[in-house]
């Protein structure tokens, strides 16, 4: 008999304690329409070659776009971009409305004001449970000197470089 996994709530409680940054994952559909969704299941994979991964729920519209996409981009959000994170996670007919977007190489949409723009060529996909791991070869990008948006226990926060003791000791 195979071993049982923990229930979903415990899984969320555990993994929710892993503080992350927040990105907007963007790609273009075959007809050229831009797609974007908020994603924090993002990790650096390899330095040589330079690979990054993002895990996407198979039930999401963006998943189908990525299945046939040759490229995608990650815009790492800045501390003042919580509204952008919320927008790209909600059901909306036009998530890009009112959002400042730049056109990157190969027409990839990039969110203006981000901490980093990471451009990728699709390298591999791995099925994993109810998600697919999309692995991208990082082909280009730009880093900016801005404080990042942080995500922890389903809430947004700020990362203070250099740390220091928490306010409540
Ligand atoms: C902070 C945050 C991080 C998220 N990270 C992911 C993620 O890594 N993978 C994922 O599939 N969904 C993630 N989501 C949920 C998607 O953004 C959300 O389901 C979105 O509506 C999917 O869009 P789509 O259905 O148009 O593809 C995240 C949501 C938030 C608020």
């Amino acid at each position: 008999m195979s071993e049982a996994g923990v229930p979903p709530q415990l899984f969320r409680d555990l993994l929710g304690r892993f503080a992350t940054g927040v990105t907007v994952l963007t790609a273009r559909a075959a007809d050229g329409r831009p797609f974007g969704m908020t994603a924090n299941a993002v990790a650096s994979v390899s330095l040589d070659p330079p690979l990054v991964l993002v895990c996407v729920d198979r039930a999401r519209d963006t998943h189908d776009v990525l299945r046939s996409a040759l490229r995608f981009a990650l815009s790492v959000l800045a501390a003042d971009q919580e509204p952008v994170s919320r927008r790209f996670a909600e059901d909306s007919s036009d998530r890009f409305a009112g959002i400042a977007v730049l056109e990157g190489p190969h027409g990839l949409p990039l969110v203006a004001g981000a901490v980093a723009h990471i451009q990728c060529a699709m390298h591999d996909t791995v099925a994993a449970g109810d998600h697919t791991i999309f692995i991208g070869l990082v082909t280009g990008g730009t880093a900016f000197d801005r404080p990042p948006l942080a995500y922890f226990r389903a809430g947004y926060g700020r990362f203070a470089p250099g740390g220091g003791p928490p306010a409540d000791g």
Side-chain angles (χ1 to χ4, degrees), residues 32-52:
R33 272 183 307 146
F35 272 74
M37 64 164 255
T38 304
N40 72 338
V42 170
S44 159
V45 174
S46 160
L47 190 58
D48 184 17
L51 300 177
V52 64

Side-chain angles (χ1 to χ4, degrees), residues 39-66:
N40 72 338
V42 170
S44 159
V45 174
S46 160
L47 190 58
D48 184 17
L51 300 177
V52 64
L53 71 76
V54 55
C55 304
V56 179
D57 190 329
R58 283 198 276 118
R60 302 296 167 211
D61 293 343
T62 306
H63 184 272
D64 294 342
V65 172
L66 285 172

